[in-house]
Structure formats: C-alpha cells, structure tokens
Amino acid sequence: MFRRILIANRGEVAARVARTAARLGIETVAVASAADADQAWLSEVDRVVRIGPARAARSYLDVEALIEVGRHTGCAAVHPGWGFLSENEHFAARCEAAGLTFIGPRPRHIREFGDKSLARATMGKLGMPLIPGSKEPVADAEHAKRVAEEVGYPVLLKAVAGGGGRGMRGVDRPEDLAAAFEEASAEALASFGDGRMYLERRIVGGRHVEVQVLGDAWGNAVVLGERECSLQRRHQKVLEEAPAPGLSPDERARILPIVADVVRRSGYRNAGTVEMLVDATGKAYFMEMNTRLQVEHPVTEEIMGVDLVEHQLRIAANQRLSLTQDELVPKGHAIECRINAEDPDDGFRPCPGLVETLDFPEGEGIRVDTHLTAGDRIPPNYDSMVAKLIAYGADRSQAIERMKAALAGTRIDGVTTNIELHKRILDWDLFVSGRYDTTSLETHLVGRS
Amino acid sequence: MLDAVLIEEGLGAPTVGVFTPRMGIGAPLLAGELVGWIRKAGLSVEVRVPSRAGGVAVELAKAGSWVEYGQPLVHSGEGTVAGAATRAVAGEEEVPEGVTVVRADTDGTVYLRPEPSAPPFAEVGAPVSANATLGLVEVMKTFSPVRAPRAGVLVKTCVDDAASVEAGAPLFWVGPA
C-alpha cells in the first residue's frame, strides 16, 4: 500500500478521501487555493500546500503544479477526486510519467469510455444495449430523415462534440426534422467547431439509473448494484437512492451481468459508473460512462457495506479485488440529499458566504459527508456543496423516515440552502411512490412557482 | 509568464516550484521587471513584478528554494509596496458627500470588462445612466450584472478587474453628474 498520497482536489471529496486514507494509515498531502487556505478540515491532513490563486485554472487544474507538489512532498500516488482533472486522460498520463500512480483508470480507458461517441461504439461492441440510432454521424438533413424513419419518432439530434445541451434538439414529427437539423448543426459548429450530428430515438420520461463498477489489475471485475438519480434539475442530480425504484428485478437481473462482463472484458481498472437510461417499458440502455468516483457513491456504500475509496486505493496499489460478485448482495435502502448553498426560491441562485451554524443530527442510519465546520466560508469560486446527508434504512420507507428526521434536525445559518426543497421532495406523493422520472422535479417545481 | 503576488513583505510566488532569482539586491521593483523563474514539473515560468509594486529588493529567496503560492520571493523593505496588499489593510476611505457607494451583494469575483481585451463597462469620469451595467459578479459560474443605482458620473472603481470580493465590499463610487 502507498505510504503517502496527494489529494489533487478540494472540498468534500478531498475530505472524503483523506478520511479513508487516515483509517488505512496512509499519509495525505492536500492542496489549497488562496480561496480555500483557511478551511478548518485541512488540519486533518498531514501536509497542506498552498498551490495557487482562487482561479481553478491556476490551482486545482494546474497539471504541472500538482505534479510538482506530488513529487516534492514524496507522494507515491495521486487521488483526483471528482470534477477538475479526474477524467483528464492527459493528467493521468502525466502523473504516471512522473512516477506518481494515478488512483483511477488507465489513461486509455479514460479516453475510450470518456469520449461519448467512442464509448457508445465500444459499449455496443461489448454487448451493452444502445438507444436505437445512427451508428455513424448523419451527413445532412436527408440522411437524418432516413435514419429517423428506421428508429421511429420522437427522435433526438445530438452534436457529436456536444455537452451541456448545446447542439441538441428533440423532434416529434418528420416535417420538423430538416429545420431542427440545420439549427442544431449550426449551433454545434458555433459552440464546438464541429457540426457533425448523431440521431437517436428520444426516450421521453426516462429514468436515470447507474451501475457502480470496480475492476482490478488482475482481470477481476464486480458490479455493486445500481443507483437511481432521476431527480434532477437542469441535468444536476438533487437526490439519489439505492437500490433504484426505477429498475425492475427482471431488468436488473438482465443488465447487471452485462455491465460486469463489459468491464471485465475491457480490462477496466478502478472505480467507474455506467449511466443508463431506462425507458417507460422498463428497458435499460447505455448512456455514458464516468471513469471516476461519483458524488453519490455513499448510497452504494451503505447498501453494500463497502468503502469505495478504500477499494480505489487497493486497486491502484495493484492489490487483488477482495470482493466477489456472490457476496455483493444489497441490503436495505439508502437515500442521499445534496445540501447546496443555493436558493431554490430564486432560480437556484448560488449563495456562498460564511457558514455561521452547521449542526447535523446524529442517529442510527444517518451519515453526514461534509468538509465544512461552522466558521468556514464557502468560497464563490467553485461548487455550492455544503454537505451530503445520507439515510439508511432496512427498507425504503424507513430510509425516508430517517431522512425526514435528519433534515428536520439539521440547522445551517449564514448561507441559504436547499434544505426546504428536500423536505418537500420527501413529502411529495410522486417521490414516495417511487414513480418519478428525469422530468418530474422540474415539472413539479414549475407547477409550484 | 506570471505576475508575482503582492504580499505584506513584498512579492510572493505566483505558483509552486523551485525558484531561481534573476533580480539582484537593491533592484527597483518596476512593473514588468523579471524577478526570476519558478520551475514546476519540468516547466519553467518567468515571474515578473506586477503593477502597483514599489520600492527596492532588500532580500531575495535563495536559488533552488522550493516555494508555495504566496511565499515571499522578494522582501521590499518597510512600506515600499503599494497596491492590493496595503489597500486591503487600509480599510475604507471616507466617502465624499453626494457619492453613492455600490457594494457587492454576495461573495464573488468582480469583472470590470466584458472580456479581458475589451474596454471596461464604464470609464472612470464618464457619465453613467441609472441601471447601467458597471461590472459583473461571478458566483460559481453564474454571472450577474452590477448596476448603477442612479444616473451620475463614475467617480471611482474600488477593485481591480477579476478581483475576489466579499459581500458588502465597495465596488464603485457613483457621484452627481
């Protein structure tokens, strides 16, 4: 195992990694930008290096600076956390070249699974179900029309180079396709310098279900059940749970072995998440893969009784996976609420500032993941995460009851948070029924305002 | 090329790495002058004197020393550095009568120009109309305009472009036309 690691990140994930490392007796070096230098949690690591100014490009995204710190402080490995450089193939390769083990997948896996069109091709070849659509980019509106007839309306036009919804258009009727194609392609060309388009069937009212995977350097791979992340606002997850109410036992029994097989055959190493879209008939299709630890990983840890960061560290140190598929049976139910410093009543405006009070309840089945302490300031430069509240129960209704109690007992002063929104979600009949989809929360919020 | 950071002692390192000084003791701290180099992971970066520095180099960090962000590279002697560092400790200036202070309503990063190469939203000394955009405040990638509370003249900007500010910090002075 590593003697000392660099945590190339900040905030909640940096504190999360430091906690497991400390438990395993691994020393930690953290980096802090000028905006983060006073955060209280930094006293828990063995060394803090001030890496740069608040601007991420010159601190948490500065590849040379991070590698310099790792080497100078005698680290053996680098944990990238999530966001920032965690899915950057170039950073992973630079770490390895500098003699620092990257605690994550091989650079080539970051490329193969991180690039959306390459991932689709790779996954399809390995046997993952894909949303029916064009195998190659469609050349023009006429070509798009022919493919659309094959896959059936409604369809979705997506920019090959896309992201953040730009260059994306839903089309319900054949007569609207030509205009939508020209518009989306022009937008993609302007945004990404690449006007090529894909076309696939549009899944309306789908559910976002994702599968947690681990693979080691010895060709072993396991799946650790799935998570439901359909409660979203502008493609941002708000609340997650595991197991997923949106995945039927039959579909779970069909899809999870396929995911395990894909991971094993690709030689994928470390933690990853295969995101899927489940249509109204309950059938799951590959959407994309995240080659890193996810924010919502605690719900998986709770129902599986594992520490995913520990396995990330062990796998990176070339140890064999100590988990077998047979013993990975989910037990109970877990829910995670993302507590953000934002105002849901004012368009989710971010509300950074001084956290004056930060009190969370303690109790059976309640877990709080946070890096903050009362007196810390949430800087305006990064994300608005205050904490993740995780409730575990023997079943879903017990997890809901415990989460309600946890939210009621939470007190945060100084910054506005979305706690009231979470309370409303937990009382919302559609959530309680488990029958929500990716459009439900936004529709519900619009209905209220 | 990076500008050194203005700190109380003088000039601080703008990034991490191994420092090699170029400047000598006694050299005046003129904007744009080469202080030295910082090497990080094989990449060598020039470090220059930022604007609003002043005084002379009294002491320099040793060649080969490993520095963190903000760690002193140049000691400039007592009271010789003007600008951000001293501005921050000086507190708020007295506001002349008739001047309205426009303050940040949240922690954030203030931008005085729509993009780095563009002219500022408003020029000091120029008339501004009520509700005119004076700058932008960025909070977690969300940008909101800072608007003039009334018509008048922009008397002063209290911050530099891309400065970090806390809620309540003075940003602009708007005076009578």
Side-chain angles (χ1 to χ4, degrees), chain A residues 7 73 81 103 128 154-155 161 212 218 244 276 340 351 361 393 432:
Chain A
I7 304 172
T73 57
I103 303 169
M128 268 299 282
V155 296
Q212 176 69 53
W218 304 88
M276 307 183 302
N340 295 330
C351 305
V432 175

Side-chain angles (χ1 to χ4, degrees), chain A residues 11-302:
Chain A
E12 200 263 302
V13 69
R16 168 72 190 85
V17 171
R19 207 156 55 231
T20 291
R23 185 171 59 75
L24 299 175
I26 299 169
E27 292 177 22
T28 45
V29 177
V31 288
S33 76
D36 283 333
D38 294 333
Q39 300 235 309
W41 83 269
L42 290 167
S43 66
E44 293 163 25
V45 300
D46 296 284
R47 180 164 178 189
V48 182
V49 174
R50 285 167 297 149
I51 189 161
R55 196 150 60 87
R58 285 193 44 210
S59 51
Y60 304 110
L61 292 172
D62 187 335
V63 170
E64 277 80 23
L66 289 163
I67 289 173
E68 176 68 28
V69 171
R71 293 194 50 153
H72 177 75
T73 57
C75 289
V78 178
H79 196 301
W82 52 67
F84 295 120
L85 294 166
S86 61
E87 293 180 279
N88 186 308
E89 170 199 356
H90 166 71
F91 179 59
R94 286 290 307 272
C95 285
E96 300 279 335
L100 298 161
T101 300
F102 182 77
I103 303 169
R106 316 299 308 148
R108 80 174 168 89
H109 287 130
I110 298 178
R111 181 176 63 248
E112 276 172 28
F113 293 111
D115 175 308
K116 282 189 172 75
S117 57
L118 200 55
R120 191 177 147 88
T122 309
M123 284 294 189
K125 223 180 294 165
L126 291 165
M128 268 299 282
L130 303 177
I131 296 170
S134 55
K135 288 186 182 61
E136 304 290 324
V138 287
D140 52 33
E142 269 312 301
H143 186 188
K145 232 170 194 165
R146 284 200 305 279
V147 180
E149 293 302 328
E150 282 167 35
V151 306
Y153 287 87
V155 296
L156 188 64
L157 286 162
K158 281 163 95 173
V160 169
R166 277 172 301 172
M168 199 186 272
R169 289 287 185 288
V171 183
D172 295 331
R173 303 175 307 175
E175 54 267 39
D176 299 333
L177 187 65
F181 182 93
E182 301 303 340
E183 226 179 87
S185 181
E187 189 176 300
L189 187 64
S191 304
F192 314 111
D194 181 350
R196 290 178 304 152
M197 303 299 294
Y198 268 109
L199 185 150
E200 62 184 34
R201 187 187 296 156
R202 183 177 176 208
I203 294 179
V204 184
R207 305 187 61 139
H208 176 127
V209 174
E210 57 184 33
V211 180
Q212 176 69 53
V213 304
L214 284 173
D216 71 10
W218 304 88
N220 304 302
V222 292
V223 295
L224 295 97
E226 81 289 344
R227 297 183 285 261
E228 170 101 39
C229 311
S230 299
L231 279 187
Q232 301 182 359
R233 189 194 66 84
R234 285 191 207 149
H235 303 287
Q236 297 290 312
K237 296 163 186 169
V238 173
L239 177 154
E240 303 93 347
E241 52 182 322
L247 196 64
S248 70
D250 284 353
E251 188 64 356
R252 181 178 295 119
R254 184 181 80 91
I255 204 79
L256 265 55
I258 298 177
V259 174
D261 187 51
V262 164
V263 174
R264 193 173 303 113
R265 281 163 56 201
S266 67
Y268 186 83
R269 219 186 274 186
N270 219 288
T273 294
V274 176
E275 296 191 338
M276 307 183 302
L277 202 56
V278 177
D279 71 11
T281 70
K283 198 170 176 321
Y285 299 94
F286 173 71
M287 193 157 52
E288 64 179 67
M289 182 158 179
N290 293 322
T291 55
R292 54 170 169 84
L293 187 70
Q294 303 261 118
V295 176
E296 61 274 21
H297 75 278
V299 292
T300 297
E301 294 184 324
E302 293 306 310

Side-chain angles (χ1 to χ4, degrees), chain B residues 62-120:
Chain B
K62 283 196 184 67
S65 51
W66 199 85
V67 291
E68 297 187 12
Y69 175 79
Q71 204 169 311
L73 298 178
V74 180
H75 286 261
S76 60
E78 213 176 326
T80 48
V81 173
T86 44
R87 191 191 274 195
V89 289
E92 267 184 52
E93 287 173 63
E94 200 175 310
V95 182
E97 215 180 296
V99 164
T100 309
V101 180
V102 184
R103 293 174 187 277
D105 60 3
T106 169
D107 290 11
T109 306
V110 179
Y111 295 96
L112 304 178
R113 305 160 185 277
E115 49 190 285
S117 56

